[in-house]
Amino acid sequence: MSSTDGATGRSALIVRGGWDGHMPVETTDSFVPFLEEHGFTVTIEDSNEVYADAARMADVDLIVQVVTMSEISKEALAGLIAAVRAGTGMVGWHGGIADSYRNSADYLQLIGGQFAHHANIAPPEQLSGEQSDNYQEYSTQITELGRTHPVTAGVEDFTLTSEQYWVLSDEYNEVLATTTQAKREWDAWDRPVTFPAVWTRHWGDGHIVVSTAGHRLEIVQDPSVRKIIEQGMLWAARPAKG
């Protein structure tokens, strides 16, 4: 399925699916007009097997992936990694990029961070079993690097009421924003813990941008989150030819 406005120039591939609770269709649809306004021809796929099509991936300048959990074949993963190494940019948010393909160590290395937990708002015996059990107010702090980086330039520290991701990551990431999980009386950890909330990663000739904020449509529509994602798309995409 494709959506274009007749613009010539760069191409963007949206790959979406997985758990519907993260609203992969609604969140990605909301960015199509922005991409088209910036000269991208947009193609949308509901299967990650498109990554295995080398000829098709060679023409993709930007991948926007929102696929929570799910699995990926060896062929599709190899195609994704090859495309990024060759210069295709990759952007995603929340579980659509940081909680995809848990069965693949190579994917985790590519992305540089993996969702591990989101803290509940109350002790287990007081929870309802709904998504709202994980919605807490938390703040995101822009790092010194993030103050001047093109992805987060112009974004100030901000607060959301949503899932706060506890992320496992490595030092190869360029961390543009962080968030700190508090220690509550019922928690197993014994001190506050700080995690990356926005990061970039260079892989071969490609650039990757991850925002851990983006649980649902209303979160990607938050002005700060949206600015980060939109600026991330423009920064990560392969430069226009000519």
Side-chain angles (χ1 to χ4, degrees):
M1 178 170 61
S2 65
S3 174
T4 69
D5 63 354
T8 59
R10 292 181 288 180
S11 64
L13 170 65
I14 293 174
V15 178
R16 64 193 187 188
W19 185 53
D20 286 340
H22 280 160
M23 304 178 74
V25 172
E26 296 87 346
T27 56
T28 53
D29 278 353
S30 74
F31 288 99
V32 170
F34 172 82
L35 288 167
E36 291 179 338
E37 288 165 9
H38 286 81
F40 288 87
T41 296
V42 181
T43 302
I44 300 174
E45 293 289 344
D46 299 318
S47 168
N48 58 34
E49 281 302 312
V50 66
Y51 294 149
D53 187 337
R56 193 167 166 193
M57 294 303 298
D59 294 329
V60 174
D61 299 303
L62 174 67
I63 298 165
V64 179
Q65 179 186 277
V66 180
V67 181
T68 302
M69 297 179 283
S70 304
E71 295 184 351
I72 190 167
S73 69
K74 291 181 180 180
E75 295 78 10
L77 179 59
L80 171 61
I81 294 172
V84 174
R85 290 193 65 170
T88 300
M90 186 174 183
V91 174
W93 50 88
H94 204 62
I97 192 168
D99 192 22
S100 309
Y101 322 137
R102 296 177 182 177
N103 64 322
S104 172
D106 288 341
Y107 176 79
L108 301 183
Q109 185 190 31
L110 173 72
I111 299 304
Q114 170 63 42
F115 160 77
H117 178 72
H118 38 56
N120 296 324
I121 60 173
E125 63 272 14
Q126 298 178 17
L127 301 177
S128 66
E130 301 296 327
Q131 288 189 46
S132 56
D133 287 343
N134 305 313
Y135 295 173
Q136 61 178 330
E137 184 177 86
Y138 71 93
S139 61
T140 297
Q141 290 77 41
I142 307 301
T143 65
E144 183 176 354
L145 173 62
R147 298 288 175 195
T148 58
H149 195 283
V151 172
T152 42
V155 179
E156 299 297 328
D157 297 351
F158 60 95
T159 300
L160 299 170
T161 299
S162 183
E163 291 182 346
Q164 183 183 26
Y165 264 18
W166 181 308
V167 172
L168 308 180
S169 63
D170 65 51
E171 66 177 6
Y172 188 60
N173 292 331
E174 294 183 334
V175 179
L176 307 182
T178 63
T179 187
T180 299
Q181 170 63 59
K183 155 65 180 170
R184 290 84 50 87
E185 61 181 13
W186 63 86
D187 291 324
W189 48 97
D190 62 7
R191 58 181 173 81
V193 188
T194 298
F195 314 100
V198 180
W199 69 87
T200 66
R201 195 168 177 89
H202 296 258
W203 208 249
D205 292 331
H207 296 155
I208 299 167
V209 178
V210 179
S211 166
T212 61
H215 178 65
R216 291 173 58 83
L217 181 61
E218 62 268 22
I219 301 301
V220 300
Q221 289 180 331
D222 174 88
S224 297
V225 177
R226 192 161 196 89
K227 187 170 186 176
I228 290 168
I229 294 172
E230 289 180 344
Q231 292 184 162
M233 290 174 173
L234 298 181
W235 178 81
R238 194 195 316 269
K241 300 179 179 65

